[in-house]
Amino acid sequence: MAERIGKYMSGSEIRSAFLRFFEERGHTVLPSSSTVPHGDPTLLFTNAGMVQFKDVFLGNEKRSYTRAVTSQKCVRAGGKHNDLDNVGFTARHLTFFEMLGNFSFGDYFKEEAITFAWDFLTGVLLLPKDRLWVTVYKDDDEAVELWQRIANVPASRIVRLGEEDNFWAMGDTGPCGPDSEVIVDRGEEHACGPDCGLGKCDCDRWLEVWNLVFMQYMRDESGSLSPLPRPSIDTGMGLERISSVLQGADTNYETDLFTPIIAKLEEMTGRKSGEDAPVFPFRVVADHIRSCVFLAADGVHPSNEGRGYVMRRILRRAVRFGQELGMRRPFLADLVPVVAGVMREAYPELEGKADFIQKLLTKDEERFLTTLQEGQKRARALIASAKESGLHALPGKDAFLLYDTFGFPIDLTKDMAREEGLVVDEKSFEEAMTEQRERSRGARQSLRDDVMGIQALLSEVSPTGFVGYDQDSCDAQVLGLVKEGSRATEMETGEEAFLVLDRTPCYAAGGGQESDRGALLSRQGRRLATILDVARTPSGVYLHKVKAEMPGVMVGQEVVCSVDVERRRGLERHHTATHLIHKALRTVVGDHAQQAGSLVQEDRLRFDFNHFAPLSKEELRRVEDMVNDAVLQDLPVSWRQESLEEAREEGAIALFGEKYGEEVRVVEIPGLSRELCGGTHVRRTGQVGQVQLVSESAIAAGVRRLEAVAGKAALRRLRQLASTLGDLASCLGTGVDEVREKVASLVETVSDYAREIQKVRTGTIEEISRAILKGAEKAAAQAGNLGVIVSRQDNMDVGQLRSLGDRLKEGGAQVAILGSVKDGRAVMIVMATPEAVKRGADAVKIVRKGAQAMGGSGGGKPEMAQSGGKSPEALDKALSEARNEAQRLLGIAQ
C-alpha cells in the first residue's frame, strides 16, 4: 500500500462530503444525469460533469439557480475520449468513473472557485498543504496571484504550462478558458528518476486530483478570443482518484470502490490477484463490470451500432480476461449485485434493476462464448501468420474478419496482438467498418438536423409560447423567417421556409411523438401557408417548416395558426395508448419492462421495452385486455406542472433517454399511470377507442417492440381484416366461419403431397448417388480409394445437394464437390469427412477456390461449406478448380 495522505474516508463518505460542502455554500445539489447524453449527437457517452449543463454554458438554456454541484457518472470508451485500451494496464485509467464537480453559471469566478477547492481539500479532506501543487495556464497571472494570496501556495509549487495542458475548450469554437489543476505530491519514492518534476514527466508521483476550468472567453471561427460577459466555472475531481489518495491505495483498484468486486472475482476463480494470477485481468473485469452495469441501467444494450457496440466491446473484453482467470461459463451476472451493493448509497436504483441487468449481460455473454474459442484460435493463427511474414501490425482486414465472423471487438484483437508484440492496423479496420455501415444504412436529413443552425440565426428571438395542450388554434404574430439558410422578411407562393411565431398550438416532435401539421390563416380565414413540420430549439423557439400557398407571408404579420385537428386527435389517442400499454406490460411481465423508446404517429404506435423473451399469446392477450379495460372505464387523463423533485417523490416514471428540466409535466391516469411526459393526450381514456396489438418482435438484445393501433386506425384495420377474410372465404368456396377448418384441411393435403414428393426425390437422389459412386469406383480403381468426387446436378436446391453429398460420403467419398444451376443461379457445396479434415482438407478453402471462377465467395466450416456466384456459366470451371484444391490439400496426385 502507498502512504495514506489526508483523512481516511470511504468513497461514499467523500461523495457525500463533497455534495454537502457545496450545498452549504449555496449550490443546488443535482442528481447525476444519464451516462447517455440527451440530444447531443457529438457525444457517445457523458464523459464529464459539465455535459448536463452544456446548453446552460452555451446560453441556450436558463436555470433557476446559478450554482450547482453533482457527482456525475461518466463513461470514457469510444469516440474522442477513449480509455479502453489502457484499462487494466495502468493505475488510473477507467472506462467508468464518477466526477465530482461544482459549477457557476455567471455567478462566482476564479477567486471563489480557488477558495472553495482549497478549503475542501485542506479543511475537509485534511490533505497536507505542503503536499499540494498547482498548475496554471502560462499567461494566467491572475490565477497565480490568487493561489498565493488565498492558499499561500509558494511560487515554487505553482507551475505554468501551455495550452495543451492548461487551457480548456468546449470545441473548436465556443466557450473556453484557462484551467488550473491541483496536484498531490505522493512522495519521492514514486519518482521516475533524477529529472522527475511536475510538467517534465507523467509519472505516478504527481497525481492530478482536481481541475478548475475558468470559462472566460468565447472563441470564434477565426480563432480569436473575446471575453464572455458572464464568466463561469466548471470543475471536476475524480472520485476514484481522490479515494486512492485518502485510502493510501497505489491504484484506483485498491480503493473500496473496487476491492469488493475483485474479492468476489477471486472467490469465483479460486485465484488471488498478484499472487497466483496477474493483476490486470482482475482490474479489467472490475472496471468493465461497473461500466456494463451503469450502461445497462441507463438503457444501453449490447449491439453492433453506436453506444451498444461500445458496450459490447467492454463486455466482451471482460469475458476474454475472465477466460484468462479460468472462467469458462457466463460469470458477469454474479458481479452485478456486488457493484449494486458498493454503489447503493448514491444509486439505489441499481439494486432494483439488478435482475434485468444480469439477464441482459448473460445473454450477450452466452452469445459470445459460443464463438470465443474458435475466434481465439483463428486470431492466434492470423497473428502468427503476420509475424511469420515480418509484419509489425496485424492487417485491418484480418481484424475485421475476426469482428465480422466471430464477434471479436477490435479491443480483444488488439490485446491478443499486443501480447505477441504486434499492433493492429486500426485505420484499415475502421475503413472496413465504415464500408459495412454505409452498405447497411444511408444517411438521412431532417428538420431536426437543421435546428441548431437556424437557432443561431434567430438568437434574439424569445421562446415561443406553446398553447397546444388546451387549444387547436390561436392568434399569433410572425417574429422571424429563415429561407435558404438566411434571414428573410417575406415569402412568395410555393416557397418553403422556417417560420417563428410568438405563440403556437403546434406540438414540436419530441418524446417519440411526431409533430403537428396544420395551416397559417389570415384573420379573414384565407390559407396563407401549410405547416409541414415543427421542431423546438434548446432555447424554446418553435420552428415551423411552412410552404406558402399565396404571396405576402411576412415578418410582423398577424395570423391564425391552426393544427390539423384530425391528425392531432390520432396522435393524442396513440400517445395515451402508449401510457396504458406501458402500465399493462409492467403488470403482466414485471417492473423491468421499462420503456426503451417509442414512436407515436397519427395512425399507429410503436413501443419498445426491456424484456428478454417473446411475449406468449396469453401475455399478449392479457396486455391487450388490460389496455382496453382501461379504455372502457373512461378514466380522466390529467396533467400538471411541478418540480422534478416533487414528481419523483410522487413516483412518476421518468423515461430513458429524455432530458428533464427543473419543472416537468406529469401526465396521470388515476390508479393506473403517472409519467413525466410533454406530449399531447386525450382528456379521457374512452376517447382512445379500441386498441389492437398488431405485432411483437425483438429489435436488440433484451429489447422487444410492440406495434399497435388505436381508435379509427383500429377500426380501419378490423375492416381490412374482415374484407380479407371474406375474400379468402370466397376463394375457398366456404363460409367465413368455416375458413379455419377449410385451410387446416388444405394444409394437411399439401403436407401429404409434400411427403410423397420427398419420397420420390429421396429415391431419385439414391439412384443418382449410386450412379455417381459406381462411376467413381471405376475411375478410382488405380488409386485404391474414392478420394474426391465431383458432380454437377442442375435444378437441385441446396438441401438436395446436401442429401446427395451425405450419401456420397456414406459410400466412401472423402470429399464431395457438388454444383447446380437452378433458376439462373449457381450454387456449389463442398462436404468433407472428419478423416479428410484431419488430413488437411478444408471445405471453406476448397469452396472459395472454386467460387473465384464464378465471381463469388463462400463460407462455412471445414466439414461443409457453400458458395454462390455471379457467373453460372462458369460453374464447370469452378468445380474443376475446387477439385484441384481438394486434391492438393489431401496430397492426391493430380
Side-chain angles (χ1 to χ4, degrees):
M1 294 292 286
E3 174 192 3
R4 183 168 61 79
I5 304 172
K7 177 183 179 181
Y8 180 87
M9 298 174 75
S10 68
S12 290
E13 288 171 337
I14 297 170
R15 184 193 301 113
S16 297
F18 184 86
L19 297 176
R20 186 169 55 251
F21 175 88
F22 282 98
E23 184 177 28
E24 291 169 352
R25 286 154 180 80
H27 291 66
T28 299
V29 179
L30 296 171
S32 170
S33 63
S34 170
T35 55
V36 179
H38 173 79
D40 189 344
T42 66
L43 285 178
L44 270 177
F45 301 110
T46 300
N47 56 28
M50 61 76 61
V51 170
Q52 68 168 301
F53 305 114
K54 187 173 179 180
D55 282 337
V56 182
F57 284 124
L58 288 170
N60 296 328
E61 180 183 347
K62 294 188 183 300
R63 304 277 179 99
S64 62
Y65 47 82
T66 56
R67 300 182 177 197
V69 60
T70 65
S71 180
Q72 174 65 50
K73 48 192 180 183
C74 299
V75 173
R76 287 189 178 175
K80 177 182 176 182
H81 299 284
N82 182 10
D83 290 341
L84 188 56
D85 293 346
N86 295 314
V87 170
F89 296 96
T90 70
R92 308 295 168 198
H93 284 98
L94 303 170
T95 58
F96 174 84
F97 63 96
E98 285 184 83
M99 185 173 285
L100 307 173
N102 59 290
F103 307 91
S104 164
F105 312 118
D107 187 327
Y108 61 82
F109 197 47
K110 289 184 186 179
E111 182 167 356
E112 293 89 341
I114 290 173
T115 300
F116 290 152
W118 191 256
D119 288 350
F120 182 75
L121 291 173
T122 61
V124 178
L125 304 187
L126 303 184
L127 293 176
K129 296 178 181 180
D130 61 354
R131 301 289 288 271
L132 298 179
W133 290 57
V134 294
T135 65
V136 298
Y137 180 56
K138 59 185 178 65
D139 297 330
D140 195 352
D141 297 331
E142 181 186 7
V144 173
E145 187 274 328
L146 288 170
W147 279 114
Q148 291 177 325
R149 174 164 57 84
I150 294 169
N152 291 318
V153 178
S156 60
R157 294 210 307 274
I158 300 176
V159 180
R160 294 176 185 257
L161 297 175
E163 187 166 340
E164 183 177 345
D165 296 294
N166 279 88
F167 197 93
W168 180 91
M170 189 176 290
D172 293 335
T173 61
C176 59
D179 62 59
S180 181
E181 297 177 350
V182 182
I183 313 292
V184 173
D185 180 359
R186 300 177 67 220
E188 292 185 6
E189 63 273 21
H190 294 280
C192 58
D195 295 326
C196 179
L198 189 56
K200 300 177 182 178
C201 64
D202 192 26
C203 72
D204 280 346
R205 174 177 178 175
W206 312 104
L207 187 64
E208 176 209 334
V209 293
W210 205 343
N211 187 19
L212 316 179
V213 176
F214 309 131
M215 214 176 294
Q216 65 188 92
Y217 299 115
M218 177 66 74
R219 176 176 279 156
D220 62 24
E221 294 180 353
S222 70
S224 300
L225 300 178
S226 57
L228 285 171
R230 299 177 65 211
S232 298
I233 291 293
D234 159 27
T235 84
M237 175 162 58
L239 176 62
E240 293 78 6
R241 190 169 289 197
I242 192 63
S243 295
S244 72
V245 174
L246 299 182
Q247 295 175 23
D250 276 321
T251 72
N252 292 334
Y253 301 99
E254 291 155 29
T255 67
D256 67 337
L257 298 168
F258 285 91
T259 50
I261 305 171
I262 292 175
K264 178 64 176 179
L265 193 54
E266 288 177 332
E267 174 191 320
M268 292 162 59
T269 61
R271 304 175 74 176
K272 284 288 186 182
S273 174
E275 295 181 12
D276 57 354
V279 296
F280 59 85
F282 288 94
R283 293 176 177 178
V284 169
V285 174
D287 168 81
H288 289 8
I289 187 61
R290 293 192 345 145
S291 280
C292 288
V293 166
F294 277 92
L295 288 173
D298 283 340
V300 183
H301 301 81
S303 70
N304 287 330
E305 289 290 334
R307 298 180 178 102
Y309 173 58
V310 176
M311 180 179 178
R312 175 166 281 169
R313 291 167 61 184
I314 295 170
L315 185 152
R316 294 186 172 186
R317 191 169 187 256
V319 173
R320 192 248 165 173
F321 278 98
Q323 291 250 320
E324 291 197 5
L325 297 174
M327 299 304 295
R328 297 291 182 264
R329 62 169 180 84
F331 70 94
L332 293 177
D334 295 340
L335 298 173
V336 173
V338 185
V339 176
V342 171
M343 296 294 191
R344 179 185 296 115
E345 183 177 324
Y347 307 101
E349 68 274 12
L350 293 181
E351 291 187 318
K353 296 180 178 180
D355 182 62
F356 165 75
I357 295 170
Q358 287 175 301
K359 291 177 181 176
L360 180 71
L361 301 187
T362 298
K363 188 167 186 177
D364 200 67
E365 195 173 356
E366 288 174 341
R367 179 182 298 178
F368 184 46
L369 285 171
T370 60
T371 60
L372 178 59
Q373 189 172 1
E374 186 64 30
Q376 287 180 313
K377 178 180 175 183
R378 188 64 176 272
R380 283 192 286 268
L382 291 170
I383 291 168
S385 175
K387 290 180 70 175
E388 289 171 5
S389 301
L391 300 177
H392 298 294
L394 182 71
K397 64 180 180 63
D398 291 343
F400 180 74
L401 172 69
L402 292 171
Y403 163 76
D404 202 36
T405 306
F406 300 103
F408 257 45
I410 183 67
D411 315 282
L412 266 65
T413 304
K414 286 163 65 176
D415 286 335
M416 294 186 70
R418 175 162 49 184
E419 290 164 8
E420 295 297 325
L422 297 181
V423 296
V424 173
D425 183 352
E426 293 185 67
K427 182 179 179 181
S428 57
F429 171 81
E430 288 299 333
E431 288 172 353
M433 287 286 289
T434 300
E435 288 175 10
Q436 184 193 57
R437 292 190 188 106
E438 289 176 351
R439 285 193 299 268
S440 64
R441 66 181 181 181
R444 190 174 59 145
Q445 192 77 11
S446 70
L447 171 57
R448 253 58 61 190
D449 300 315
D450 295 328
V451 165
M452 296 309 294
I454 297 171
Q455 176 178 265
L457 295 173
L458 300 165
S459 57
E460 85 288 355
V461 177
S462 300
T464 308
F466 178 65
V467 299
Y469 293 135
D470 304 303
Q471 299 175 225
D472 294 329
S473 67
C474 71
D475 293 338
Q477 183 182 37
V478 179
L479 299 183
L481 269 171
V482 174
K483 187 169 59 176
E484 297 180 350
S486 302
R487 290 289 291 265
T489 57
E490 61 181 302
M491 298 175 65
E492 297 297 329
T493 303
E495 288 185 333
E496 292 187 4
F498 299 114
L499 180 147
V500 177
L501 305 173
D502 62 338
R503 56 205 300 263
T504 183
C506 295
Y507 180 80
Q513 179 178 328
E514 289 190 343
S515 66
D516 280 325
R517 295 173 193 157
L520 291 181
L521 309 174
S522 71
R523 292 294 175 88
Q524 292 75 38
R526 288 177 299 167
R527 191 182 185 95
L528 302 176
T530 298
I531 300 172
L532 306 172
D533 200 356
V534 187
R536 183 180 184 273
T537 72
S539 59
V541 174
Y542 281 61
L543 302 176
H544 304 72
K545 184 176 183 180
V546 303
K547 182 176 182 178
E549 303 294 342
M550 59 185 301
V553 178
M554 63 185 66
V555 174
Q557 188 172 6
E558 299 289 336
V559 296
V560 176
C561 182
S562 178
V563 301
D564 179 336
V565 175
E566 184 71 15
R567 173 178 168 81
R568 164 68 76 85
R569 298 295 173 260
L571 290 165
E572 289 174 347
R573 284 190 286 268
H574 285 91
H575 202 149
T576 303
T578 66
H579 287 222
L580 297 175
I581 289 171
H582 194 188
K583 170 62 179 177
L585 282 168
R586 289 167 68 94
T587 301
V588 172
V589 303
D591 285 339
H592 67 275
Q594 296 176 332
Q595 181 173 340
S598 69
L599 174 67
V600 176
Q601 295 181 318
E602 175 187 359
D603 56 358
R604 72 184 184 106
L605 69 86
R606 197 172 68 204
F607 189 86
D608 302 338
F609 61 100
N610 297 323
H611 193 52
F612 293 93
L615 269 63
S616 65
K617 289 183 179 179
E618 174 60 20
E619 287 173 326
L620 288 169
R621 185 193 63 77
R622 288 177 61 197
V623 169
E624 192 172 67
D625 284 350
M626 284 188 66
V627 171
N628 284 291
D629 285 346
V631 170
L632 291 172
Q633 291 177 53
D634 195 27
L635 299 168
V637 181
S638 62
W639 46 84
R640 62 186 179 275
Q641 293 289 129
E642 60 187 32
S643 72
L644 179 59
E645 185 176 351
E646 287 173 334
R648 283 175 167 155
E649 288 175 355
E650 293 172 354
I653 296 175
L655 303 182
F656 163 71
E658 289 299 307
K659 181 180 180 181
Y660 300 105
E662 297 172 74
E663 289 289 315
V664 294
R665 181 169 178 263
V666 179
V667 175
E668 182 169 10
I669 304 172
L672 279 183
S673 171
R674 186 186 291 121
E675 295 191 14
L676 306 188
C677 179
T680 61
H681 290 269
V682 298
R683 270 60 177 173
R684 302 190 69 87
T685 59
Q687 295 171 339
V688 172
Q690 187 189 45
V691 177
Q692 298 172 27
L693 300 185
V694 176
S695 67
E696 191 267 349
S697 60
I699 60 168
V703 182
R704 311 291 301 177
R705 171 171 290 172
L706 275 179
E707 298 194 44
V709 290
K712 291 184 178 181
L715 178 60
R716 285 194 296 271
R717 182 170 183 269
L718 276 178
R719 286 174 175 165
Q720 183 181 21
L721 290 174
S723 176
T724 301
L725 184 60
D727 292 344
L728 183 60
S730 296
C731 291
L732 295 173
T734 188
V736 170
D737 294 338
E738 288 79 39
V739 166
R740 180 192 295 272
E741 291 75 12
K742 185 71 172 180
V743 170
S745 174
L746 286 173
V747 168
E748 186 175 351
T749 300
V750 171
S751 297
D752 290 340
Y753 286 147
R755 283 191 289 271
E756 290 300 319
I757 292 170
Q758 185 59 39
K759 287 181 182 178
V760 173
R761 285 178 173 173
T762 301
T764 302
I765 289 174
E766 289 285 0
E767 292 175 7
I768 293 173
S769 66
R770 283 196 294 269
I772 293 173
L773 288 167
K774 187 173 181 180
E777 286 169 357
K778 291 180 181 179
Q782 295 180 346
N785 59 68
L786 296 181
V788 179
I789 290 182
V790 180
S791 180
R792 174 170 175 166
Q793 299 292 329
D794 286 348
N795 294 314
M796 277 193 180
D797 59 29
V798 172
Q800 292 169 317
L801 290 175
R802 287 177 180 172
S803 296
L804 178 57
D806 286 335
R807 283 159 178 75
L808 293 176
K809 289 194 297 179
E810 291 168 2
Q814 296 176 52
V815 176
I817 303 172
L818 305 172
S820 171
V821 174
K822 185 176 181 181
D823 299 327
R825 298 176 63 86
V827 63
M828 179 170 60
I829 72 167
V830 177
M831 302 174 70
T833 64
E835 294 76 15
V837 172
K838 289 180 181 177
R839 288 179 54 195
D842 185 330
V844 176
K845 291 181 179 178
I846 296 169
V847 84
R848 285 179 175 169
K849 187 69 174 179
Q852 291 175 3
M854 297 189 293
S857 61
K861 296 181 178 180
E863 295 81 10
M864 185 176 73
Q866 74 179 61
S867 71
K870 301 175 183 176
S871 306
E873 67 277 5
L875 177 60
D876 289 334
K877 182 178 180 182
L879 293 170
S880 176
E881 293 287 344
R883 180 209 300 271
N884 293 338
E885 179 68 5
Q887 291 176 335
R888 184 186 70 79
L889 292 173
L890 288 169
I892 298 174
Q894 300 181 23

